[in-house]
Amino acid sequence: MDKPAKTPDLIDSKAVKELVAARALRGATVLGRPGGWGVLVRYGNAERAVAGQKSRRMRLWRHADSAIGFVRSELGMDRFDVDAQDYRPDESGRRRPDASERLKRQQAVIEHDRWFRSQVQDAMNAITEGTNPLVAEDDLAKRLGSLRETLKRKAG
């Protein structure tokens, strides 16, 4: 059995962006890991793995093409190394069955927001046109009090 892959030292995404802006990167490697693909950046005499945004672990992409896209678009490199020696696709245990459900909830929120905004706009238009006049707060309180008394009488 192979030894587990050693995790290289990390660099956060802010520092990577600063290195890119300074044109200080000498190279990159898309590195196969158990469960995904990481990215190593080389600058000066150092080589570091790009860390996840909110973790102190190597950022892993599930697919090599996503990691390659990062190297090309974020690092601005078209030439880089690929090391698949330690790639093990089924060892991550990372599954996102909730992603579909989350997208459905987001869509429901968007649809509700759209509906709510249209209701508010309809009400505003009706007020402007005079077909839905504003009710003074005192008048509303009287109407609600009267309605409450009527409901109490009916209930008991």
Side-chain angles (χ1 to χ4, degrees), residues 31-39 50-53 55 57-67 87-99 102:
L31 181 65
R33 305 293 291 173
W37 297 88
V39 173
V50 177
Q53 286 184 341
S55 71
R57 295 187 310 208
M58 178 188 285
R59 180 177 179 185
L60 287 182
W61 288 265
R62 179 173 241 132
H63 303 286
D65 59 338
S66 300
Y87 177 63
R88 306 284 181 275
D90 298 326
E91 294 183 20
S92 72
R94 293 186 315 155
R95 298 288 178 257
R96 294 181 59 185
D98 64 322
R102 186 179 68 247

Side-chain angles (χ1 to χ4, degrees), residues 23-113:
R23 298 186 183 272
L25 292 180
R26 291 188 310 117
T29 301
V30 174
L31 181 65
R33 305 293 291 173
W37 297 88
V39 173
L40 299 177
V41 293
R42 288 186 297 282
Y43 58 97
N45 292 329
E47 182 174 65
R48 302 272 191 270
V50 177
Q53 286 184 341
K54 295 183 181 179
S55 71
R56 290 304 302 164
R57 295 187 310 208
M58 178 188 285
R59 180 177 179 185
L60 287 182
W61 288 265
R62 179 173 241 132
H63 303 286
D65 59 338
S66 300
I68 290 169
F70 174 82
V71 172
R72 294 186 76 196
S73 65
E74 298 295 320
L75 305 182
M77 295 182 170
D78 289 327
R79 292 181 171 257
F80 48 88
D81 299 322
V82 176
D83 180 350
Q85 181 177 352
D86 293 325
Y87 177 63
R88 306 284 181 275
D90 298 326
E91 294 183 20
S92 72
R94 293 186 315 155
R95 298 288 178 257
R96 294 181 59 185
D98 64 322
S100 172
E101 199 56 41
R102 186 179 68 247
L103 288 173
K104 288 176 187 173
R105 283 193 307 270
Q106 287 174 341
Q107 187 60 37
V109 167
I110 290 168
E111 289 174 14
H112 176 73
D113 182 65

Side-chain angles (χ1 to χ4, degrees), residues 98-156:
D98 64 322
S100 172
E101 199 56 41
R102 186 179 68 247
L103 288 173
K104 288 176 187 173
R105 283 193 307 270
Q106 287 174 341
Q107 187 60 37
V109 167
I110 290 168
E111 289 174 14
H112 176 73
D113 182 65
R114 220 177 267 141
W115 169 83
F116 180 77
R117 289 175 185 275
S118 74
Q119 294 295 304
V120 170
Q121 188 61 51
D122 290 349
M124 296 297 289
N125 291 342
I127 291 169
T128 302
E129 295 166 1
T131 58
N132 188 12
L134 294 175
V135 177
E137 188 174 346
D138 293 339
D139 291 342
L140 180 61
K142 288 178 189 175
R143 288 183 192 177
L144 290 176
S146 173
L147 180 60
R148 191 177 306 118
E149 291 301 319
T150 303
L151 291 173
K152 283 182 183 177
R153 279 195 304 272
K154 287 183 181 179

